[in-house]
Amino acid sequence: MTATTAEPAARDWRQTLVDRPAIALTGVLAVLYVVTATQAPGMFTFNGVRSTLLLACPLAILAASQTLCMLTAGIDLSTVMTANFAAYVAANQSGQGPLVALGLALCVGLAVGLVNGIGVGVFKVNPLIMTLGMASVLLGVVTVGLVGDGFLSGSTRLLPVLRTVASGTLFGPVPTNLLVWAVVAAALIFGLSRSGLGRAIYAVGDNPVACRLAGIRIWQVLLAVYLLSAVLAALGGLLFSGISGSVGPDQTNAYLLPSVAAAVIGGTSILGGVGGYTGTILGALILTVLNRLLLALDTTEAFRQILYGLIVLALAWVYVRVTGQRGA
Amino acid sequence: MTATPRAEVHTPLPRPSSRLERFGRRQGWVVGVALLLAALILWRSSQIPAFGAFEVRGIVAGTMTLALLAMAQSVIVISGGIDLSVGAMMVLGNCIAARLMLDQDLGTVVGVAVLVVVVAMVLSGLIGTVIVVSGVPDIVVTLAASFTLAGLALVVLDGPGGGTNPRFQELLVGGFDQPGPAILWLAGVLLVVWLPFKRSRLGIATYAVGSDRSAAFLSGVRVGRTRIVAYVMGGFFSGLAGLVTTAFTGSGEPRASIGATATLTSVAAVVLGGVALMGGSGTLLGPVLAAFCLALIPPLMLGLGWDPNYAEVARGVIIIVVVMIGGLLQIPRRSR
């Protein structure tokens, strides 16, 4: 059926890239990985692969919450504070046993997500503002809880189970936290493409008016999205604390911008309705390898930051160019 | 007769709105913020036995940076964009100024000050150009730019340090009990830079582009150029903010987290100041007043004997609640 002239072939090639951004991103990742291997030794050993996967996991999970929010044309700036808070609570309450401690950390995520979701979904507060305000509130709550005999004061001890899951090795180059990541990834990829809620998330981000007319209860979708986002953030925070071996009130703050960048590089549009978690996984891996490469270069922290910003921008630019997915 | 008389449809003539109504509609929010600020200042003054020039200077000079950043963010938001790199730009300006101004005479220092503002305008214009040319969403571009600018600041100054001329400090933020210079500078920037810009063709184009890009394009506005100009204006205000930081602290500090916090607070001030994030409406006065309101919260809590750490909670709650109320107020107006 298809005419095999030169022009449509070129368009097909582009269309393939647009439809399957994962192909182009895998290429970028492979090239970047090889380049990094020339600078940093041991990238092709079990240990090199393992550390890349290990470090990419918390970033990818935090980026998962951004992906969900961005698909509905939102953003969650409170993820890292939620992650810090949840990890701190878990370490602080570890004396009560792992189940209670992890349950409390999960409750932190649920509470934050509930408030965010009600604000964005029911009261129609701009997501940027809602989550910005929430980040402010959480920062204050944590700071107040830490001073004197606040509710977070007292010793912190990392849960042994967290340490095992977050920084252990399953076999060969596979870290244990890949299990958690795989479950999250499978649930998100399957859920977004096959479940009703998943399709509704895309629809709400694409055209909220049409959604309302089609009878979708937008507020329920948004509430679910922000609940999931905050729970994922709490999970990411727990995993990060397991890797770093400590907890701190601001330890994942540096992940906020990379988590948004990972989703964007992965092809999720910040304007909503386009993208998915497959791309975000690759985006998180690309950023992790990029970080490794920059660390291997014999240069100052200052130049690393400059390069990081420029490369993220270049990747986003190329992506937009190739796919023709222009911002408004 | 044959046909029943048709019911006459009365379309009521639109009643011409009075001056007061128009003022209320356009400036109501700003007046509200101004009243809130007045109340907060009164409250604060009642907390301190001797509320005088010293305290006023402390508040004004300490908040000036934030007020200028709120202006930078406002211009860009009015044009329909957003800039998550204003804080990093301020830090970069601070570092350039502190490095070059150390132990210089006043003439050189003023020259450096002009240079800093020009550099900020050029860099911000570059960011705007990338946004317009590449089609990458503004949030992403400015997020990446915030990394790069923070890195540049570290190149300029690799740790806290640098300095400036004491005369320059006095000129910009005033001595310990002189609130005059800071107030004059803020008012001056609003009156001499913003008002003429707002009235000019470019200013009107900025509002038009922010309100509806396609409509502006169809009416002959050069959309790309106008958006870039908004970023250049933003760079002007961010550069000034960097200078004020230098004058207020007397040194440079290349910490990236300062920039990130300042950026987020600038967005909060813009929203509280009645500039819609959708673009196309609002003024610069509202965000400036809102910046002062936000800055007054920690000292007020301290005065109440509360843990000032609650200020962060209060700030977040206020931002959310105000935006919620704003949204509720606007529902009857929305025809959609």
Side-chain angles (χ1 to χ4, degrees):
Chain A
M1 274 302 287
T2 41
T4 48
T5 50
E7 213 186 16
R11 208 184 300 138
D12 282 350
W13 172 78
R14 279 207 152 186
Q15 199 55 47
T16 316
L17 280 187
V18 174
D19 293 342
R20 307 224 170 281
I23 297 173
L25 287 167
T26 312
V28 172
L29 178 62
V31 171
L32 197 64
Y33 203 89
V34 171
V35 172
T36 308
T38 63
Q39 300 294 322
M43 287 297 282
F44 283 113
T45 61
F46 272 8
N47 217 8
V49 177
R50 177 186 169 272
S51 76
T52 306
L53 289 174
L54 183 80
L55 293 175
C57 174
L59 174 60
I61 288 182
L62 289 178
S65 44
Q66 300 296 358
T67 309
L68 282 176
C69 295
M70 278 162 61
L71 283 176
T72 63
I75 194 166
D76 190 345
L77 295 181
S78 63
T79 42
V80 288
M81 281 313 300
T82 313
N84 296 335
F85 195 10
Y88 207 95
V89 167
N92 192 232
Q93 303 294 326
S94 56
Q96 305 192 37
L99 270 184
V100 176
L102 291 179
L104 283 171
L106 197 68
C107 285
V108 168
L110 284 174
V112 172
L114 189 68
V115 178
N116 274 341
I118 289 176
V120 175
V122 179
F123 289 96
K124 314 245 180 309
V125 179
N126 182 309
L128 191 76
I129 298 303
M130 185 67 215
T131 54
L132 180 66
M134 178 51 82
S136 205
V137 170
L138 289 176
L139 177 64
V141 168
V142 171
T143 323
V144 172
L146 283 176
V147 290
D149 43 319
F151 64 99
L152 283 178
S153 62
S155 66
T156 59
R157 195 177 57 84
L158 210 60
L159 285 168
V161 57
L162 268 187
R163 206 185 292 266
T164 320
V165 170
S167 57
T169 306
L170 203 59
F171 60 86
V174 180
T176 320
N177 64 6
L178 199 67
L179 276 182
V180 182
W181 188 6
V183 170
V184 168
L188 277 181
I189 294 173
F190 184 79
L192 279 175
S193 58
R194 292 278 181 275
S195 76
L197 176 64
R199 299 324 294 171
I201 288 174
Y202 280 94
V204 166
D206 197 39
N207 192 337
V209 178
C211 274
R212 209 189 57 221
L213 297 178
I216 293 178
R217 293 201 176 78
I218 296 178
W219 71 269
Q220 290 176 354
V221 176
L222 290 176
L223 182 61
V225 163
Y226 283 88
L227 269 175
L228 278 173
S229 164
V231 169
L232 284 170
L235 184 63
L238 289 172
L239 288 176
F240 183 88
S241 73
I243 292 178
S244 71
S246 63
V247 287
D250 56 356
Q251 65 174 2
T252 61
N253 282 11
Y255 275 64
L256 177 59
L257 306 189
S259 72
V260 177
V264 168
I265 291 173
T268 301
S269 166
I270 211 154
L271 308 167
V274 180
Y277 190 56
T278 323
T280 306
I281 294 176
L282 292 164
L285 284 170
I286 287 174
L287 286 182
T288 311
V289 176
L290 178 63
N291 231 348
R292 183 79 188 81
L293 174 64
L294 292 178
L295 278 176
L297 293 181
D298 184 27
T299 175
T300 58
E301 176 58 31
F303 272 105
R304 259 178 229 135
Q305 281 197 30
I306 296 176
L307 278 176
Y308 193 82
L310 290 180
I311 293 176
V312 167
L313 182 58
L315 284 174
W317 193 334
V318 169
Y319 192 86
V320 167
R321 257 298 116 90
V322 171
T323 60
Q325 180 200 88
R326 286 183 68 95
Chain B
M1 310 265 201
T2 50
T4 51
R6 268 199 306 171
E8 278 198 23
V9 180
H10 275 287
T11 315
L13 271 179
R15 197 169 46 83
S17 56
S18 70
R19 227 158 218 282
L20 190 67
E21 278 172 339
R22 265 173 292 164
F23 179 80
R25 201 167 52 222
R26 285 184 195 155
Q27 309 289 347
W29 189 276
V30 177
V31 172
V33 177
L35 289 178
L36 176 67
L37 178 61
L40 288 180
I41 290 178
L42 269 181
W43 186 7
R44 178 73 187 135
S45 65
S46 71
Q47 282 180 344
I48 310 175
F51 189 81
F54 176 76
E55 278 74 21
V56 175
R57 186 266 177 191
I59 294 172
V60 178
T63 317
M64 216 173 142
T65 308
L66 191 53
L68 284 165
L69 280 186
M71 290 189 204
Q73 193 70 263
S74 303
V75 182
I76 293 167
V77 168
I78 287 173
S79 79
I82 195 157
D83 190 344
L84 298 183
S85 67
V86 286
M89 189 70 84
M90 170 201 85
V91 170
L92 176 62
N94 170 228
C95 289
I96 298 177
R99 167 144 188 198
L100 297 180
M101 285 177 176
L102 185 63
D103 301 328
Q104 300 291 333
D105 59 74
L106 192 61
T108 323
V109 163
V110 171
V112 171
V114 174
L115 175 81
V116 166
V117 173
V118 170
V119 166
M121 286 168 82
V122 169
L123 284 177
S124 193
L126 200 64
I127 293 172
T129 313
V130 170
I131 293 172
V132 170
V133 173
S134 71
V136 178
D138 39 23
I139 297 189
V140 181
V141 175
T142 53
L143 213 59
S146 72
F147 275 88
T148 303
L149 292 176
L152 281 176
L154 272 173
V155 171
V156 174
L157 208 65
D158 54 5
T164 184
N165 188 311
R167 279 287 296 144
F168 175 71
Q169 290 183 277
E170 266 176 42
L171 270 179
L172 209 53
V173 293
F176 281 115
D177 52 356
Q178 302 159 345
I183 295 179
L184 278 181
W185 274 106
L186 273 184
V189 167
L190 276 175
L191 291 176
V192 178
V193 178
W194 170 244
L195 268 192
F197 175 79
K198 189 184 170 187
R199 302 259 164 101
S200 72
R201 296 170 68 100
L202 265 176
I204 294 166
T206 306
Y207 277 87
V209 168
S211 166
D212 189 332
R213 212 169 281 166
S214 327
F217 175 76
L218 291 175
S219 342
V221 175
R222 290 161 74 175
V223 173
R225 200 189 58 170
T226 309
R227 290 173 71 196
I228 295 172
V229 167
Y231 277 89
V232 173
M233 284 294 285
F236 172 77
F237 292 124
S238 318
L240 280 185
L243 288 180
V244 169
T245 313
T246 318
F248 187 61
T249 62
S251 65
E253 167 71 83
R255 207 143 35 97
S257 61
I258 298 179
T261 314
T263 301
L264 297 186
T265 320
S266 79
V267 176
V270 162
V271 173
L272 291 190
V275 177
L277 277 181
M278 309 289 290
S281 71
T283 67
L284 255 59
L285 184 60
V288 169
L289 297 174
F292 278 97
C293 291
L294 286 175
L296 270 169
I297 297 172
L300 275 173
M301 299 217 143
L302 204 62
L304 283 175
W306 291 4
D307 187 333
N309 284 317
Y310 276 115
E312 211 56 59
V313 180
R315 206 179 277 180
V317 171
I318 290 175
I319 293 169
I320 296 171
V321 169
V322 167
V323 174
M324 242 179 228
I325 295 173
L328 291 179
L329 283 180
Q330 267 167 0
I331 286 175
R333 267 194 237 157
R334 244 182 268 158
S335 52
R336 269 180 292 166

